[in-house]
Amino acid sequence: MNVSLFITCLADTFYPNVGESTVRLLDRLGVRADFPEGQTCCGQPAFNSGYRDEARDVAKTLIESFEKSEYVVGPSGSCIGMIHHYYPLLFEGDSRWEERAKKFVSKSFELSQFIVNVLGKQDLGARMNAKVTYHPSCHAMRLMGIKHEPLALLQNVQGLELVDLPFAEDCCGFGGTFAVKMHEVSGAMVAEKAEHVKETNAEILVGTDMGCLMNIGGRLRYEGAPVRVMHVAELLWEGVKS
Amino acid sequence: MSVKPAMPLKERMKHAIADETLIEAVKKTTDRLEGGKLASSEALGNWQEWREQGSRIRSHVVQHLDYYLGQLIQNVKKRGGHVHIADTAEHAVQIFLDITKQKNAKSVLKSKSMVSEEVHLNKALEEIGVKVLESDLGEYIIQLFGEAPSHIIIPAIHKNRYQIADKFSAISGEQISEDTPTLTAFARRKLRQEFLEADIGVSGCNFAIAESGSIVMFTNEGNGRMVTTLPPVHVAFMGMERLLPSFEDLETFVNLLPRSATGQKITSYVSVINGPRKEEDLDGAQEFHLIIVDNGRSNILGDDEFQEVLNCIRCGACLNVCPVYRHIGGHAYGDVYPGPIGAVITPLLRDDMKVWGDLPYASSLCGACTDACPVKIPLHDMLVHLRARKVKLGLTPGWERMAFRMYRGSFANPGRYRLSMRAAKLMVPFMAKDGYIEKGPLHMLGWTNARHFPSPAPQSFREKWAQLSAELEGPKGGDSK
Ligand code: SF4
């Protein structure tokens, strides 16, 4: 099995630990991953803002850099969702790229989806004594239909107390450029999300997407709330290695 | 009609967010509606199949709109009704004013109709001195406040009962208490007299059945029945696309619409109106007019990216789940249709991206609307398509175009990407504190008004990669501890 990592631009720049945890976890599961260095970003910021030509060029760069891979795995439902949902549309009618884009779609997976559905593993032998709550990111949940995969992985972490997040499925207000362009309403949305996180009294907020976690984590820190924010990969790796 | 909101979207939003009473009222009701919807759709079973079916029927109608409109018109006429086609809002109003003049009408009584809001009927009537009264409780309330509806189904969603009691007390000169039965009883008492005096009754039309020429209305208060039967003339306003082929198709929507809208299994009344009163009928208006309103709808027909939006049955479910709607309420959208459906349909109906092109940005693209829509309209995709259209028309600001050109410049080129990430990192020591930026240039972008921003990691993943992969490749390899 030839697995390549798609470490999103956000994880690459701000959260390299998420990438590192991802590789180490996969390695622990017997999957050796490579990291094609030509990759940068999925193009979502431009696409969602309406800049299709710009998004297309960035998407081409990504497709090219994974041309030889059998599987592409990334720790973000949002970026993988962009690929699955919008790459076919982006290259529709382009005889040179349409096929390549579709091939790329069929081999790319979000991390938890890959571990649970492709590798068929749910119990990674992790343990951690902590009270944790889980925020399901919109794009993982709605664009990719990833609902039970991250929960299955978390439920199998020994010692973990998983508490329900009230209004879990409400968007945290990130939405990429939305957080800047419509920052007033985005700010109100993240404030509400942070309220719900605090209500759970969890020590850790866990998610599958660093965009949302950067947003909610940034809000929690702004409020001085002592909640740690972790990507599923980080939590699992921390639980496995200890 | 060139309608222009008084303030830009950002300003409207800011005002709304600051209005705590409004937001609290909106959140409370939308939560209740959403909860009701989940429970009632689950109780039905096979919700996804019902949605499929609904979507299929609606798409079929929209794809063959010419045919079904023709059939409907023929059948309404056969039953003795008058049919008018209005190309624009002004035209629709003019048709109605002509009827008013012809009948020498002094007072008009309305039940709920979003299309009549869309064409601003009330304003036109008031201008010529015809008394117009809303009989739906919610509509009646906002009429008293001199406001527009802020939700498709619950027009007065943004008011709480204390505000309503104050208003009722003010107009009646007596103290009205704020419990719901008292408020309803008061409105009922007030409206009763009017029912008997009105010259024309105006209603909306949830669906028109092409094969029979019938108008179908879903209502809860009984006012709809009275408006369409007591006054001598009944005029129904209908959006051009609100058709179903047959009563058989109606069954699907009798299930989908009330559940999606209010969480009810069925509404209190499902009224079917078949033209004017016939000799053997016990009640009904003597004269029936149907005004079919285009007002921008035919622009959407044949447009691959947006045609499906005509499938909308105006249930409001997308509003109830929309986190943006829940934080700003309906008026901030600036026109008759709020929420995700409004953000899509207003720029399309108005056919003016210059004025309305900011609406599609009032969404985080979370997709909750698409998930909620009973006829499976991909609302969040349409929002992105609209943004792309705005970019294509050259209507986005110059700095933004520049920013995305730069984004392409560096992100479509791995070498340059590495360089620009490094350059960005050089700036950070001047701004960051404990790994976070709390103020600084991001303040101007608004991010740090509500949250802190992480500074880039000292070493990016790609900078770590060589070492990491060497370690994993090494003797300890796959089972490193
Ligand atoms: S778009 Fe869908 S959910 Fe929204 S009002 Fe129309 S039918 Fe209802």
Side-chain angles (χ1 to χ4, degrees):
Chain A
M1 185 185 278
N2 175 14
V3 172
S4 297
L5 298 167
F6 167 34
I7 302 302
T8 68
C9 54
L10 207 63
D12 179 35
T13 313
F14 294 95
Y15 305 100
N17 190 42
V18 173
E20 191 173 335
S21 306
T22 302
V23 201
R24 290 188 186 278
L25 262 186
L26 288 172
D27 183 64
R28 175 60 69 102
L29 290 165
V31 177
R32 180 58 53 82
D34 60 26
F35 176 74
E37 302 211 23
Q39 63 177 288
T40 63
C41 169
C42 63
Q44 187 169 200
F47 184 83
N48 280 355
S49 301
Y51 292 84
R52 300 240 160 128
D53 296 337
E54 286 78 355
R56 204 171 289 120
D57 279 355
V58 175
K60 282 181 184 170
T61 313
L62 198 70
I63 294 173
E64 266 171 348
S65 55
F66 287 102
E67 208 94 74
K68 293 196 196 71
S69 313
E70 197 182 330
Y71 288 100
V72 179
V73 177
S76 159
S78 184
C79 307
I80 301 289
M82 166 73 202
I83 294 165
H84 277 239
H85 204 63
Y86 292 122
Y87 274 24
L89 179 109
L90 212 42
F91 295 104
E92 203 178 284
D94 181 333
S95 54
R96 254 166 41 85
W97 282 92
E98 200 170 359
E99 266 318 296
R100 292 168 85 178
K102 284 189 179 150
K103 217 183 253 163
F104 185 44
V105 169
S106 63
K107 67 184 179 187
S108 43
F109 295 86
E110 184 273 336
L111 177 66
S112 70
Q113 191 189 30
F114 182 74
I115 296 176
V116 173
N117 301 341
V118 180
L119 299 180
K121 298 249 166 67
Q122 299 200 357
D123 188 347
L124 307 191
R127 53 180 313 123
M128 182 185 283
N129 289 321
K131 188 168 175 178
V132 170
T133 192
Y134 169 70
H135 167 68
S137 285
C138 301
H139 287 176
M141 179 171 61
R142 300 201 183 94
L143 286 188
M144 294 295 294
I146 297 170
K147 284 191 172 170
H148 83 280
E149 292 87 344
L151 286 171
L153 293 169
L154 291 171
Q155 275 152 1
N156 280 302
V157 177
Q158 270 188 44
L160 204 75
E161 186 192 343
L162 196 58
V163 287
D164 282 344
L165 178 63
F167 298 93
E169 296 191 355
D170 283 9
C171 175
C172 71
F174 178 59
T177 46
F178 172 78
V180 171
K181 239 186 154 119
M182 297 284 161
H183 63 85
E184 291 93 354
V185 62
S186 165
M189 283 158 71
V190 73
E192 189 179 41
K193 181 58 79 175
E195 264 327 296
H196 294 315
V197 172
K198 288 191 289 183
E199 275 167 40
T200 65
N201 285 319
E203 302 146 64
I204 302 173
L205 169 71
V206 57
T208 52
D209 224 301
M210 285 326 293
C212 322
L213 292 179
M214 173 171 85
N215 186 40
I216 310 170
R219 176 68 196 187
L220 289 165
R221 191 177 185 278
Y222 177 97
E223 291 181 19
V227 184
R228 200 174 155 201
V229 168
M230 290 178 100
H231 190 276
V232 165
E234 290 177 294
L235 185 141
L236 289 171
W237 174 244
E238 206 171 297
V240 167
K241 74 176 179 197
S242 58
Chain B
M1 188 192 274
S2 71
V3 183
K4 229 179 158 144
M7 278 185 279
L9 176 67
K10 295 272 279 181
E11 287 301 311
R12 303 198 300 268
M13 282 181 153
K14 242 190 253 171
H15 276 271
I17 293 170
D19 189 339
E20 282 174 31
T21 325
L22 175 143
I23 301 307
E24 201 190 312
V26 170
K27 276 190 190 167
K28 213 169 117 190
T29 308
T30 49
D31 277 347
R32 184 169 55 76
L33 293 173
E34 196 192 342
K37 183 205 162 183
L38 290 177
S40 65
S41 54
E42 223 161 80
L44 180 65
N46 302 329
W47 184 247
Q48 297 312 326
E49 280 166 38
W50 283 98
R51 284 177 82 204
E52 275 301 334
Q53 171 100 345
S55 163
R56 220 170 18 239
I57 298 172
R58 291 294 302 142
S59 289
H60 172 83
V61 170
V62 171
Q63 278 156 18
H64 302 93
L65 199 55
D66 275 7
Y67 173 78
Y68 288 115
L69 271 175
Q71 202 186 4
L72 175 79
I73 292 168
Q74 213 175 22
N75 287 329
V76 172
K77 284 184 177 161
K78 227 186 258 169
R79 289 183 181 273
H82 304 272
V83 182
H84 315 261
I85 312 250
D87 298 332
T88 61
E90 289 90 342
H91 190 192
V93 169
Q94 195 50 52
I95 292 167
F96 188 83
L97 294 185
D98 289 346
I99 300 173
T100 323
K101 226 177 271 160
Q102 202 190 358
K103 295 287 140 197
N104 202 13
K106 297 278 170 290
S107 75
V108 169
L109 187 67
K110 291 176 67 201
S111 73
K112 205 173 158 312
S113 152
M114 284 307 288
V115 178
S116 75
E117 299 285 346
E118 181 186 319
V119 303
H120 301 290
L121 181 66
N122 290 14
K123 208 173 123 235
L125 287 171
E126 279 155 14
E127 272 166 18
I128 59 160
V130 172
K131 181 173 161 193
V132 51
L133 194 73
E134 297 289 348
S135 65
D136 171 89
L137 180 58
E139 293 278 355
Y140 175 65
I141 292 165
I142 55 163
Q143 190 182 26
L144 292 180
F145 278 93
E147 292 179 13
S150 69
H151 188 285
I152 297 177
I153 300 292
I154 321 275
I157 192 170
H158 58 296
K159 298 277 179 223
N160 66 29
R161 53 205 172 91
Y162 301 97
Q163 292 169 310
I164 298 165
D166 283 349
K167 189 49 121 193
F168 283 5
S169 305
I171 60 161
S172 66
E174 50 180 309
Q175 191 60 38
I176 312 280
S177 84
E178 68 280 346
D179 63 292
T180 315
T182 312
L183 293 176
T184 327
F186 173 80
R188 177 182 289 245
R189 221 166 44 238
K190 274 268 167 206
L191 288 167
R192 265 290 138 93
Q193 308 147 7
E194 312 280 350
F195 280 116
L196 300 168
E197 289 161 14
D199 300 314
I200 300 181
V202 170
S203 78
C205 159
N206 288 100
F207 298 104
I209 310 289
E211 74 169 4
S212 67
S214 324
I215 302 306
V216 182
M217 278 167 48
F218 291 70
T219 57
N220 274 317
E221 295 170 14
N223 63 316
R225 277 185 331 154
M226 296 172 94
V227 163
T228 53
T229 51
L230 286 177
V233 179
H234 169 206
V235 181
F237 278 84
M238 152 187 168
M240 190 177 87
E241 76 289 9
R242 300 298 293 271
L243 276 153
L244 291 177
S246 69
F247 276 102
E248 220 171 288
D249 303 300
L250 183 66
E251 188 206 342
T252 305
F253 296 93
V254 171
N255 275 305
L256 282 175
L257 179 60
R259 285 173 215 260
S260 301
T262 49
Q264 291 168 286
K265 290 191 182 124
I266 190 166
T267 50
S268 312
Y269 303 92
V270 177
S271 313
V272 178
I273 295 142
N274 296 308
R277 172 183 208 150
K278 286 180 277 303
E279 253 175 53
E280 66 275 20
D281 288 345
L282 294 176
D283 60 13
Q286 288 143 22
E287 201 173 307
F288 172 70
H289 295 261
L290 177 63
I291 303 181
I292 302 175
V293 179
D294 180 335
N295 198 27
R297 286 161 176 79
S298 45
N299 296 337
I300 307 175
L301 269 180
D303 186 330
D304 278 354
E305 280 180 333
F306 300 110
Q307 178 162 305
E308 258 179 287
V309 81
L310 296 174
N311 292 6
C312 175
I313 57 172
R314 304 282 191 267
C315 69
C318 56
L319 278 60
N320 300 336
V321 297
C322 176
V324 173
Y325 175 82
R326 283 151 39 84
H327 278 93
I328 62 175
H331 290 155
Y333 289 82
D335 204 4
V336 213
Y337 300 107
I341 181 63
V344 172
I345 215 172
T346 302
L348 291 173
L349 288 182
R350 299 282 182 214
D351 198 19
D352 188 349
M353 286 298 278
K354 245 191 210 135
V355 175
W356 297 102
D358 49 358
L359 272 182
Y361 296 89
S363 164
S364 63
L365 303 178
C366 73
C369 48
T370 301
D371 255 16
C373 178
V375 288
K376 302 185 76 168
I377 300 171
L379 292 159
H380 74 285
D381 287 346
M382 290 183 177
L383 291 167
V384 180
H385 297 331
L386 279 168
R387 295 178 188 184
R389 217 160 260 199
K390 185 170 172 179
V391 171
K392 222 177 190 172
L393 289 168
L395 294 172
T396 50
W399 64 264
E400 189 185 288
R401 306 180 84 81
M402 172 77 95
F404 280 108
R405 246 198 313 265
M406 281 164 63
Y407 166 82
R408 161 160 60 185
S410 66
F411 283 71
N413 178 323
R416 253 184 275 155
Y417 165 79
R418 248 191 320 268
L419 276 180
S420 35
M421 287 302 144
R422 255 191 237 144
K425 222 166 7 189
L426 289 176
M427 305 290 296
V428 171
F430 302 105
M431 303 182 288
K433 191 179 119 195
D434 304 332
Y436 276 88
I437 301 165
E438 297 179 358
K439 282 267 143 73
L442 285 161
H443 199 56
M444 292 185 295
L445 294 176
W447 177 279
T448 46
N449 288 340
R451 62 225 121 176
H452 294 159
F453 192 78
S455 44
Q459 227 189 351
S460 70
F461 180 83
R462 69 186 60 223
E463 286 163 345
K464 279 184 170 181
W465 172 247
Q467 198 201 335
L468 191 59
S469 92
E471 186 197 318
L472 294 175
E473 296 265 342
K476 284 192 287 170
D479 37 26
S480 69
K481 286 272 136 70

